[in-house]
Amino acid sequence: MVNQGGSSQTSTGLRVCAVDPGLTRCGIAVVDIAANRKARLVDVVVVGSPSTDPIGDRLAIIDATMDDWLAKYQPDHLAVERMFAQHNTPTIMGTAQASGVAIAAAARKNIPAALLTPSEVKAAVTGSGSADKKQITAMVTRILGLATPPKPADAADAIAIAIAHAWRGGLFGRGLDTGKLTSPAKASKFSSRQGQGHLTAAQQLWLAAERRAK
Amino acid sequence: MVNQGGSSQTSTGLRVCAVDPGLTRCGIAVVDIAANRKARLVDVVVVGSPSTDPIGDRLAIIDATMDDWLAKYQPDHLAVERMFAQHNTPTIMGTAQASGVAIAAAARKNIPAALLTPSEVKAAVTGSGSADKKQITAMVTRILGLATPPKPADAADAIAIAIAHAWRGGLFGRGLDTGKLTSPAKASKFSSRQGQGHLTAAQQLWLAAERRAK
């Protein structure tokens, strides 16, 4: 077992490995987030394969990279984008398969997984659940204190997922998947910071996404 | 590497591990299919977990079982149900994640994966792409020469996937996933048995499924 719980790399913070799943482009980022919410990029990569490759080979790349990175960086949590069948793009099934492989790779190392909707991620880093790719990249660059946007370009989404997870509760041992969707009702029970019964913008977006998924 | 290609267990046949993916109920079957199409059940199991369990734990069960069974039974091929987002049940994303984990487990052992649509499987074992569960169970029981239906009840689907893959071309080194959907056009190029340009009932159903998925 490589992960001893708590925070392996930052004394009071959290090391998050986040995955923006996909077969053609799978973003994998490792970010340290301190207790004061300050974020530092540890590493980021985009792996993938052409759609003409056998599905086994395509998933194997993600499986092997995750195995390697989780061993190397020993994150406290994995954070992955939660998908809904309603997204219904031609690639949604492959994206779900890729996310399953990433989550299973983490589970083999006892690293718990958090699932976040795209709207939650956008809301957490930009304040708007409908932010576009450019806004996310701009905010991620600013949050990390980088002089230029992170490379490769697709990496920003994975980084945003890591930051959103930590900011949203991961730093305080919350926000991990417990099988059911972490509903706003459940989240507000734990989030005394935000006052009981109050929904943040992110939680409202989550609720909407959850409703759409039903 | 445990699989040396060709047929490890049956001198002229094929050993197929088939997965009917799911998080709550995941059917895993190992079937030997001889060159004369005769099928013999090697082993079958249904694993799963309640929806209240964390997603990592749920996928880990499938990951660990696949690792174990693939090492123990050393199948030539993996066969998995191909899903379309159009199936759009609340559980479709979890089902896709489970299938990804199964395919990646096989890829780690260099076992190639074949993907079959439910209609293809039904058509292969019952002659009708719209057969119901009862018909599939009855035909699987007959094909395997069993006195009673295979247990557990959900196991019949996984067994049917294994038989369908072998009968459909797996025995002759065909029907393996090559990234793109094995379209009827591509299949007919290889299937001289069925005559060039002719579509079997299964291929017609496949074509319809493929069209729906676009």
Side-chain angles (χ1 to χ4, degrees):
Chain A
M1 201 172 83
V2 298
N3 186 53
Q4 295 295 333
S7 47
S8 54
Q9 306 296 330
T10 54
S11 62
T12 53
L14 194 76
R15 173 164 286 189
V16 180
C17 176
V19 176
D20 182 25
L23 292 175
T24 305
R25 306 189 72 76
C26 183
I28 305 172
V30 177
V31 182
D32 281 342
I33 301 102
N36 66 358
R37 297 166 59 103
K38 230 177 134 56
R40 185 182 73 86
L41 179 62
V42 177
D43 206 350
V44 67
V45 72
V46 175
V47 297
S49 51
S51 65
T52 43
D53 282 4
I55 181 67
D57 294 358
R58 304 190 78 191
L59 291 170
I61 291 167
I62 295 161
D63 192 43
T65 307
M66 286 302 295
D67 244 9
D68 185 31
W69 276 47
L70 296 173
K72 190 169 163 187
Y73 295 117
Q74 305 191 18
D76 300 298
H77 293 173
L78 176 76
V80 183
E81 197 179 288
R82 185 194 291 279
M83 282 152 302
F84 298 102
Q86 279 71 6
H87 289 185
N88 209 1
T89 62
T91 56
I92 187 74
M93 291 290 106
T95 305
Q97 289 177 320
S99 81
V101 167
I103 295 166
R108 281 199 296 273
K109 293 182 162 60
N110 289 311
I111 299 167
L115 303 182
L116 293 89
T117 63
S119 301
E120 279 190 305
V121 174
K122 290 173 185 176
V125 299
T126 74
S128 162
S130 58
D132 63 13
K133 217 169 170 62
K134 212 171 141 186
Q135 257 182 290
I136 292 167
T137 300
M139 280 306 297
V140 160
T141 307
R142 191 181 306 176
I143 291 163
L144 293 174
L146 301 174
T148 54
K151 302 264 175 223
D154 292 82
D157 283 340
I159 298 168
I161 294 168
I163 295 168
H165 166 62
W167 284 5
R168 165 179 166 259
L171 276 172
F172 309 96
R174 300 162 194 146
L176 290 172
D177 180 70
T178 52
K180 292 291 182 192
L181 292 175
T182 307
S183 68
K186 205 193 280 175
S188 70
K189 199 166 80 180
F190 292 102
S191 294
S192 56
R193 285 174 303 154
Q194 294 158 342
Q196 297 289 343
H198 273 85
L199 296 185
T200 64
Q203 286 173 338
Q204 283 167 24
L205 288 159
W206 172 267
L207 191 63
E210 199 179 22
R211 266 196 299 260
R212 280 196 304 275
K214 272 175 189 158
Chain B
M1 203 172 79
V2 297
N3 186 53
Q4 295 295 333
S7 46
S8 52
Q9 306 296 328
T10 54
S11 63
T12 53
L14 194 76
R15 172 164 288 190
V16 180
C17 176
V19 176
D20 182 26
L23 292 175
T24 305
R25 306 188 72 75
C26 183
I28 305 172
V30 178
V31 182
D32 282 342
I33 301 100
N36 66 358
R37 296 166 61 103
K38 231 177 134 56
R40 184 182 73 86
L41 179 62
V42 177
D43 205 350
V44 66
V45 71
V46 175
V47 297
S49 52
S51 65
T52 44
D53 282 5
I55 182 67
D57 294 358
R58 304 190 78 190
L59 291 170
I61 291 167
I62 295 162
D63 192 43
T65 308
M66 286 302 294
D67 244 9
D68 185 32
W69 275 47
L70 296 173
K72 191 169 162 187
Y73 294 118
Q74 305 190 19
D76 300 298
H77 294 173
L78 177 75
V80 184
E81 197 179 288
R82 185 194 292 278
M83 283 151 303
F84 298 102
Q86 279 71 6
H87 289 184
N88 209 2
T89 62
T91 56
I92 188 75
M93 291 292 107
T95 305
Q97 289 177 319
S99 80
V101 167
I103 294 166
R108 281 199 295 274
K109 293 183 161 60
N110 290 311
I111 299 167
L115 303 182
L116 294 89
T117 62
S119 300
E120 280 190 303
V121 174
K122 289 172 185 176
V125 299
T126 74
S128 162
S130 58
D132 62 14
K133 218 171 171 59
K134 214 172 140 187
Q135 258 183 288
I136 291 166
T137 302
M139 279 308 296
V140 161
T141 308
R142 191 182 305 177
I143 291 163
L144 294 174
L146 302 174
T148 55
K151 302 268 177 216
D154 292 82
D157 283 340
I159 298 169
I161 293 167
I163 295 168
H165 167 61
W167 284 6
R168 166 178 164 260
L171 276 171
F172 310 96
R174 300 165 193 142
L176 290 173
D177 180 71
T178 52
K180 292 290 184 194
L181 292 176
T182 307
S183 68
K186 205 193 280 177
S188 70
K189 199 167 77 179
F190 291 103
S191 295
S192 57
R193 284 174 302 155
Q194 295 158 341
Q196 297 287 345
H198 273 86
L199 296 185
T200 63
Q203 286 173 337
Q204 284 166 24
L205 289 158
W206 172 267
L207 192 63
E210 198 179 22
R211 266 196 300 257
R212 278 197 305 274
K214 269 174 189 158

